[in-house]
Amino acid sequence: MKNKMKYMIASSFYLMILLIGSSLFSACSDDNEPATIVPPVEEEDGNEPNEPSGEMGDPSQTDIYLWLEGNMPATTSYQTVANSSNPDGPDFRPNIIRFPVVEGVPIKGAVLLCAGGAFQFRGNSGDCFPVARELNALGYQCFVVNYRLRPYTQQEGAQDLARAVRFVRLHADYYGIDADKIVVAGFSAGGILCGEQVLNYRGTVNGSSLDSRYVPDELDNISADVKGIGHIYSFYGRLSVGSTDVELFRRSNLPPTFYCWGTTDGFAGQFTANANAVEQAGVAVERYILEGWPHGYGARGNWIPTFDRWMTNVFNN
């Protein structure tokens, strides 16, 4: 019994390390080889949003705040929760970073990206930034979502993502996209966040569903529905725990779902079980599995062309 308990504790610790290290697995020179662990590198772009202009924000900006100051739905008071590991500070305002389509490339649609990091940090440098640039070259307007981290809840972060979807849809004409051609995709914890948004904060479900003090505004009249969701080494569920609730998935009217994971990922079994349950619920599921790859490979592994083909099919059907 004692040895079994030690094994269970060690296994749980291993799974948490995988999630926290989601952005630490990075580049190797050959996309056919598994990535190796390297220290994360912070990039200068996207660390601080510019001050938005106009009540709803200016779509021409690179960095755009998602909430009007003083009116952001929250059930957590940052100042009253001890959380010294939060890298944002008490004055953080959720925002999006815009990555425009490469000039001359026909625009196909929009992808909102959420980085991993166990809700303790956002691994944009390893996850979102390189993927956004590759998708830009394929015709996708990309938006990296800097959602709230702990001590804020998964639900509060999902509200940030829903708000970002609304903003992109409102400005679809400016971004040159069809308002219905929007996909959310997340890496590890970021994918879990996308799942939370798709399950519980779609349509016109706004911040008042979470916080009665929130005052709905014009943007809340815009739908937060998406055409598809990408789980990149991720699943529908909670941190470290994927859901297999077929009835939940069946009644939630989920959009087509794309999964990509590596066979040596400690969560591979959970990814498989989650994808099976979603498929059993009647949702269109596509899987791209990387043989011998671990957690946190970011843009590596040559999965993006398949993701591109999947999105093209989803947008056209």
Side-chain angles (χ1 to χ4, degrees):
M1 178 65 71
K2 194 171 184 180
N3 288 336
K4 183 178 181 181
M5 182 63 69
K6 286 181 179 179
Y7 173 77
M8 291 174 66
I9 292 172
S11 297
S12 298
F13 179 75
Y14 171 68
L15 293 178
M16 183 60 70
I17 288 297
L18 281 175
L19 273 178
I20 292 176
S22 65
S23 72
L24 305 186
F25 293 92
S26 185
C28 59
S29 59
D30 186 347
D31 276 354
N32 294 318
E33 294 296 328
T36 54
I37 302 176
V38 299
V41 177
E42 292 300 323
E43 301 196 10
E44 292 182 2
D45 56 334
N47 287 334
E48 294 294 336
N50 297 322
E51 193 66 32
S53 62
E55 188 171 293
M56 303 307 297
D58 182 350
S60 69
Q61 292 178 296
T62 299
D63 305 88
I64 304 164
Y65 288 130
L66 292 172
W67 304 100
L68 296 177
E69 193 165 7
N71 190 35
M72 178 174 66
T75 57
T76 303
S77 174
Y78 182 99
Q79 287 80 2
T80 61
V81 178
N83 189 53
S84 59
S85 64
N86 184 294
D88 295 324
D91 298 323
F92 173 74
R93 292 173 63 189
N95 60 87
I96 53 177
I97 307 168
R98 180 172 64 95
F99 286 76
V101 168
V102 172
E103 188 174 353
V105 175
I107 298 173
K108 298 177 181 178
V111 183
L112 283 77
L113 298 168
C114 297
F119 298 109
Q120 299 282 1
F121 64 94
R122 291 176 298 274
N124 284 333
S125 296
D127 288 338
C128 295
F129 293 165
V131 170
R133 292 181 182 115
E134 288 205 24
L135 290 175
N136 290 158
L138 295 172
Y140 298 95
Q141 304 280 29
C142 291
F143 302 84
V144 174
V145 183
N146 286 322
Y147 57 88
R148 279 172 282 181
L149 302 171
R150 289 180 175 178
Y152 295 103
T153 65
Q154 184 172 313
Q155 292 76 23
E156 288 165 301
Q159 285 279 354
D160 299 336
L161 175 57
R163 184 79 169 179
V165 172
R166 293 188 172 102
F167 184 89
V168 172
R169 175 166 281 119
L170 176 65
H171 297 290
D173 288 345
Y174 179 86
Y175 296 127
I177 64 168
D178 184 313
D180 290 329
K181 293 184 177 181
I182 299 174
V183 161
V184 293
F187 308 81
S188 196
I192 295 171
L193 188 81
C194 291
E196 180 73 27
Q197 188 266 315
V198 166
L199 283 166
N200 299 309
Y201 299 105
R202 58 187 185 273
T204 54
V205 177
N206 63 51
S208 60
S209 66
L210 186 70
D211 181 359
S212 61
R213 299 165 300 176
Y214 175 71
V215 180
D217 58 22
E218 176 189 349
L219 195 55
D220 290 309
N221 296 322
I222 306 298
S223 173
D225 286 351
V226 296
K227 197 74 170 178
I229 175 174
H231 281 301
I232 314 305
Y233 36 93
S234 190
F235 45 53
Y236 293 100
R238 293 289 184 268
L239 189 65
S240 299
V241 182
S243 174
T244 56
D245 190 338
V246 175
E247 290 307 312
L248 169 66
F249 299 143
R250 183 174 287 123
R251 67 175 180 265
S252 295
N253 193 29
L254 295 176
T257 303
F258 178 91
Y259 289 88
C260 182
W261 71 81
T263 58
T264 62
D265 192 316
F267 291 97
Q270 290 202 57
F271 299 145
T272 302
N274 181 253
N276 288 346
V278 172
E279 196 166 43
Q280 187 179 339
V283 179
V285 168
E286 178 152 344
R287 314 168 199 226
Y288 188 78
I289 300 174
L290 299 175
E291 188 65 37
W293 282 71
H295 198 81
Y297 43 79
R300 304 288 169 170
N302 200 35
W303 59 272
I304 293 177
T306 302
F307 187 49
D308 169 35
R309 288 192 292 273
W310 174 80
M311 286 193 289
T312 299
N313 182 62
V314 164
F315 286 158
N316 292 330
N317 289 288

mmCIF file of all heavy atoms in Angstrom, residues 125-150:
data_model
loop_
_atom_site.group_PDB
_atom_site.id
_atom_site.type_symbol
_atom_site.label_atom_id
_atom_site.label_comp_id
_atom_site.label_asym_id
_atom_site.label_seq_id
_atom_site.Cartn_x
_atom_site.Cartn_y
_atom_site.Cartn_z
ATOM 1 N N SER A 125 5.730 32.318 -26.299
ATOM 2 C CA SER A 125 6.930 32.196 -27.133
ATOM 3 C C SER A 125 7.095 30.803 -27.712
ATOM 4 O O SER A 125 7.568 30.642 -28.835
ATOM 5 C CB SER A 125 8.179 32.566 -26.316
ATOM 6 O OG SER A 125 8.131 33.910 -25.918
ATOM 7 N N GLY A 126 6.715 29.772 -26.940
ATOM 8 C CA GLY A 126 6.853 28.415 -27.423
ATOM 9 C C GLY A 126 5.626 27.900 -28.152
ATOM 10 O O GLY A 126 5.732 27.047 -29.034
ATOM 11 N N ASP A 127 4.452 28.419 -27.785
ATOM 12 C CA ASP A 127 3.201 27.924 -28.357
ATOM 13 C C ASP A 127 2.654 28.860 -29.429
ATOM 14 O O ASP A 127 2.699 28.571 -30.621
ATOM 15 C CB ASP A 127 2.141 27.757 -27.255
ATOM 16 C CG ASP A 127 2.415 26.591 -26.324
ATOM 17 O OD1 ASP A 127 3.134 25.661 -26.710
ATOM 18 O OD2 ASP A 127 1.905 26.615 -25.182
ATOM 19 N N CYS A 128 2.110 29.984 -28.994
ATOM 20 C CA CYS A 128 1.274 30.809 -29.873
ATOM 21 C C CYS A 128 2.031 31.596 -30.932
ATOM 22 O O CYS A 128 1.594 31.652 -32.090
ATOM 23 C CB CYS A 128 0.446 31.779 -29.031
ATOM 24 S SG CYS A 128 -0.758 30.954 -27.970
ATOM 25 N N PHE A 129 3.119 32.248 -30.563
ATOM 26 C CA PHE A 129 3.779 33.133 -31.518
ATOM 27 C C PHE A 129 4.264 32.397 -32.771
ATOM 28 O O PHE A 129 3.979 32.825 -33.888
ATOM 29 C CB PHE A 129 4.936 33.888 -30.848
ATOM 30 C CG PHE A 129 4.499 34.883 -29.800
ATOM 31 C CD1 PHE A 129 5.423 35.403 -28.892
ATOM 32 C CD2 PHE A 129 3.186 35.312 -29.704
ATOM 33 C CE1 PHE A 129 5.042 36.324 -27.930
ATOM 34 C CE2 PHE A 129 2.789 36.228 -28.742
ATOM 35 C CZ PHE A 129 3.721 36.742 -27.850
ATOM 36 N N PRO A 130 5.003 31.286 -32.635
ATOM 37 C CA PRO A 130 5.452 30.603 -33.860
ATOM 38 C C PRO A 130 4.310 30.003 -34.668
ATOM 39 O O PRO A 130 4.350 29.997 -35.907
ATOM 40 C CB PRO A 130 6.408 29.518 -33.346
ATOM 41 C CG PRO A 130 6.059 29.330 -31.910
ATOM 42 C CD PRO A 130 5.585 30.660 -31.427
ATOM 43 N N VAL A 131 3.275 29.508 -33.997
ATOM 44 C CA VAL A 131 2.127 28.949 -34.713
ATOM 45 C C VAL A 131 1.374 30.047 -35.444
ATOM 46 O O VAL A 131 0.962 29.876 -36.600
ATOM 47 C CB VAL A 131 1.202 28.188 -33.736
ATOM 48 C CG1 VAL A 131 -0.115 27.812 -34.426
ATOM 49 C CG2 VAL A 131 1.900 26.939 -33.211
ATOM 50 N N ALA A 132 1.199 31.204 -34.798
ATOM 51 C CA ALA A 132 0.510 32.326 -35.442
ATOM 52 C C ALA A 132 1.216 32.728 -36.727
ATOM 53 O O ALA A 132 0.576 32.973 -37.760
ATOM 54 C CB ALA A 132 0.426 33.509 -34.484
ATOM 55 N N ARG A 133 2.540 32.787 -36.694
ATOM 56 C CA ARG A 133 3.286 33.214 -37.881
ATOM 57 C C ARG A 133 3.149 32.198 -39.016
ATOM 58 O O ARG A 133 3.064 32.565 -40.190
ATOM 59 C CB ARG A 133 4.744 33.439 -37.502
ATOM 60 C CG ARG A 133 4.924 34.645 -36.563
ATOM 61 C CD ARG A 133 6.371 34.899 -36.202
ATOM 62 N NE ARG A 133 6.479 36.026 -35.283
ATOM 63 C CZ ARG A 133 6.918 35.950 -34.024
ATOM 64 N NH1 ARG A 133 7.296 34.775 -33.542
ATOM 65 N NH2 ARG A 133 6.983 37.012 -33.264
ATOM 66 N N GLU A 134 3.131 30.908 -38.672
ATOM 67 C CA GLU A 134 2.954 29.901 -39.730
ATOM 68 C C GLU A 134 1.540 29.979 -40.306
ATOM 69 O O GLU A 134 1.344 29.838 -41.516
ATOM 70 C CB GLU A 134 3.244 28.506 -39.182
ATOM 71 C CG GLU A 134 4.726 28.263 -38.907
ATOM 72 C CD GLU A 134 5.099 26.792 -38.958
ATOM 73 O OE1 GLU A 134 4.383 26.007 -39.630
ATOM 74 O OE2 GLU A 134 6.110 26.424 -38.338
ATOM 75 N N LEU A 135 0.568 30.190 -39.449
ATOM 76 C CA LEU A 135 -0.814 30.293 -39.929
ATOM 77 C C LEU A 135 -1.029 31.568 -40.736
ATOM 78 O O LEU A 135 -1.820 31.573 -41.691
ATOM 79 C CB LEU A 135 -1.784 30.233 -38.751
ATOM 80 C CG LEU A 135 -1.904 28.875 -38.045
ATOM 81 C CD1 LEU A 135 -2.814 28.991 -36.819
ATOM 82 C CD2 LEU A 135 -2.431 27.803 -38.989
ATOM 83 N N ASN A 136 -0.336 32.653 -40.384
ATOM 84 C CA ASN A 136 -0.408 33.883 -41.175
ATOM 85 C C ASN A 136 -0.013 33.617 -42.624
ATOM 86 O O ASN A 136 -0.635 34.117 -43.558
ATOM 87 C CB ASN A 136 0.524 34.953 -40.607
ATOM 88 C CG ASN A 136 0.099 35.529 -39.284
ATOM 89 O OD1 ASN A 136 0.914 36.071 -38.548
ATOM 90 N ND2 ASN A 136 -1.180 35.428 -38.945
ATOM 91 N N ALA A 137 1.026 32.823 -42.798
ATOM 92 C CA ALA A 137 1.514 32.523 -44.149
ATOM 93 C C ALA A 137 0.548 31.644 -44.931
ATOM 94 O O ALA A 137 0.623 31.575 -46.161
ATOM 95 C CB ALA A 137 2.883 31.836 -44.069
ATOM 96 N N LEU A 138 -0.382 30.999 -44.215
ATOM 97 C CA LEU A 138 -1.366 30.133 -44.863
ATOM 98 C C LEU A 138 -2.706 30.836 -45.070
ATOM 99 O O LEU A 138 -3.646 30.239 -45.599
ATOM 100 C CB LEU A 138 -1.566 28.864 -44.026
ATOM 101 C CG LEU A 138 -0.351 27.934 -43.918
ATOM 102 C CD1 LEU A 138 -0.615 26.831 -42.906
ATOM 103 C CD2 LEU A 138 -0.022 27.334 -45.288
ATOM 104 N N GLY A 139 -2.815 32.087 -44.612
ATOM 105 C CA GLY A 139 -4.029 32.862 -44.862
ATOM 106 C C GLY A 139 -4.943 33.073 -43.680
ATOM 107 O O GLY A 139 -6.117 33.414 -43.864
ATOM 108 N N TYR A 140 -4.436 32.908 -42.453
ATOM 109 C CA TYR A 140 -5.272 33.073 -41.266
ATOM 110 C C TYR A 140 -4.878 34.317 -40.464
ATOM 111 O O TYR A 140 -3.698 34.485 -40.115
ATOM 112 C CB TYR A 140 -5.183 31.839 -40.365
ATOM 113 C CG TYR A 140 -5.684 30.596 -41.042
ATOM 114 C CD1 TYR A 140 -4.791 29.734 -41.685
ATOM 115 C CD2 TYR A 140 -7.046 30.293 -41.074
ATOM 116 C CE1 TYR A 140 -5.250 28.587 -42.335
ATOM 117 C CE2 TYR A 140 -7.507 29.151 -41.728
ATOM 118 C CZ TYR A 140 -6.606 28.312 -42.355
ATOM 119 O OH TYR A 140 -7.053 27.184 -43.008
ATOM 120 N N GLN A 141 -5.859 35.168 -40.211
ATOM 121 C CA GLN A 141 -5.663 36.257 -39.259
ATOM 122 C C GLN A 141 -5.610 35.625 -37.873
ATOM 123 O O GLN A 141 -6.526 34.904 -37.475
ATOM 124 C CB GLN A 141 -6.830 37.245 -39.323
ATOM 125 C CG GLN A 141 -7.106 37.831 -40.689
ATOM 126 C CD GLN A 141 -6.147 38.971 -41.042
ATOM 127 O OE1 GLN A 141 -5.002 39.012 -40.589
ATOM 128 N NE2 GLN A 141 -6.616 39.890 -41.874
ATOM 129 N N CYS A 142 -4.533 35.866 -37.138
ATOM 130 C CA CYS A 142 -4.361 35.225 -35.834
ATOM 131 C C CYS A 142 -4.383 36.239 -34.699
ATOM 132 O O CYS A 142 -3.905 37.370 -34.852
ATOM 133 C CB CYS A 142 -3.066 34.416 -35.795
ATOM 134 S SG CYS A 142 -3.100 32.946 -36.836
ATOM 135 N N PHE A 143 -4.911 35.791 -33.577
ATOM 136 C CA PHE A 143 -5.028 36.641 -32.393
ATOM 137 C C PHE A 143 -4.613 35.809 -31.183
ATOM 138 O O PHE A 143 -5.246 34.802 -30.867
ATOM 139 C CB PHE A 143 -6.464 37.139 -32.227
ATOM 140 C CG PHE A 143 -6.978 37.901 -33.420
ATOM 141 C CD1 PHE A 143 -7.512 37.220 -34.514
ATOM 142 C CD2 PHE A 143 -6.896 39.290 -33.473
ATOM 143 C CE1 PHE A 143 -7.968 37.910 -35.633
ATOM 144 C CE2 PHE A 143 -7.344 39.976 -34.587
ATOM 145 C CZ PHE A 143 -7.885 39.295 -35.666
ATOM 146 N N VAL A 144 -3.535 36.220 -30.530
ATOM 147 C CA VAL A 144 -3.055 35.534 -29.336
ATOM 148 C C VAL A 144 -3.773 36.149 -28.139
ATOM 149 O O VAL A 144 -3.721 37.365 -27.927
ATOM 150 C CB VAL A 144 -1.533 35.663 -29.192
ATOM 151 C CG1 VAL A 144 -1.070 35.070 -27.864
ATOM 152 C CG2 VAL A 144 -0.835 34.962 -30.363
ATOM 153 N N VAL A 145 -4.447 35.315 -27.367
ATOM 154 C CA VAL A 145 -5.265 35.789 -26.256
ATOM 155 C C VAL A 145 -4.477 35.712 -24.952
ATOM 156 O O VAL A 145 -4.101 34.625 -24.509
ATOM 157 C CB VAL A 145 -6.560 34.964 -26.132
ATOM 158 C CG1 VAL A 145 -7.439 35.514 -25.009
ATOM 159 C CG2 VAL A 145 -7.323 34.955 -27.460
ATOM 160 N N ASN A 146 -4.222 36.857 -24.356
ATOM 161 C CA ASN A 146 -3.581 36.919 -23.041
ATOM 162 C C ASN A 146 -4.673 36.935 -21.977
ATOM 163 O O ASN A 146 -5.126 37.978 -21.514
ATOM 164 C CB ASN A 146 -2.685 38.149 -22.939
ATOM 165 C CG ASN A 146 -1.406 37.985 -23.726
ATOM 166 O OD1 ASN A 146 -0.828 36.899 -23.761
ATOM 167 N ND2 ASN A 146 -0.955 39.045 -24.379
ATOM 168 N N TYR A 147 -5.111 35.730 -21.625
ATOM 169 C CA TYR A 147 -6.201 35.532 -20.680
ATOM 170 C C TYR A 147 -5.695 35.595 -19.243
ATOM 171 O O TYR A 147 -4.494 35.533 -18.977
ATOM 172 C CB TYR A 147 -6.877 34.185 -20.953
ATOM 173 C CG TYR A 147 -5.919 32.995 -20.895
ATOM 174 C CD1 TYR A 147 -5.648 32.333 -19.697
ATOM 175 C CD2 TYR A 147 -5.270 32.541 -22.047
ATOM 176 C CE1 TYR A 147 -4.776 31.260 -19.640
ATOM 177 C CE2 TYR A 147 -4.391 31.461 -22.002
ATOM 178 C CZ TYR A 147 -4.147 30.825 -20.799
ATOM 179 O OH TYR A 147 -3.266 29.765 -20.746
ATOM 180 N N ARG A 148 -6.624 35.691 -18.305
ATOM 181 C CA ARG A 148 -6.249 35.762 -16.891
ATOM 182 C C ARG A 148 -5.725 34.425 -16.370
ATOM 183 O O ARG A 148 -6.233 33.363 -16.718
ATOM 184 C CB ARG A 148 -7.458 36.202 -16.055
ATOM 185 C CG ARG A 148 -7.696 37.698 -16.071
ATOM 186 C CD ARG A 148 -9.003 38.076 -15.411
ATOM 187 N NE ARG A 148 -10.150 37.837 -16.296
ATOM 188 C CZ ARG A 148 -11.411 38.107 -15.969
ATOM 189 N NH1 ARG A 148 -11.685 38.597 -14.766
ATOM 190 N NH2 ARG A 148 -12.389 37.876 -16.830
ATOM 191 N N LEU A 149 -4.699 34.510 -15.519
ATOM 192 C CA LEU A 149 -4.069 33.346 -14.902
ATOM 193 C C LEU A 149 -4.488 33.239 -13.440
ATOM 194 O O LEU A 149 -5.181 34.104 -12.910
ATOM 195 C CB LEU A 149 -2.544 33.491 -14.992
ATOM 196 C CG LEU A 149 -1.950 33.651 -16.396
ATOM 197 C CD1 LEU A 149 -0.470 33.996 -16.298
ATOM 198 C CD2 LEU A 149 -2.153 32.377 -17.228
ATOM 199 N N ARG A 150 -4.053 32.183 -12.779
ATOM 200 C CA ARG A 150 -4.297 32.046 -11.352
ATOM 201 C C ARG A 150 -3.776 33.270 -10.595
ATOM 202 O O ARG A 150 -2.728 33.797 -10.952
ATOM 203 C CB ARG A 150 -3.608 30.785 -10.816
ATOM 204 C CG ARG A 150 -4.281 29.500 -11.294
ATOM 205 C CD ARG A 150 -3.558 28.297 -10.728
ATOM 206 N NE ARG A 150 -4.265 27.062 -11.080
ATOM 207 C CZ ARG A 150 -3.845 25.847 -10.753
ATOM 208 N NH1 ARG A 150 -2.704 25.714 -10.087
ATOM 209 N NH2 ARG A 150 -4.525 24.785 -11.101
#
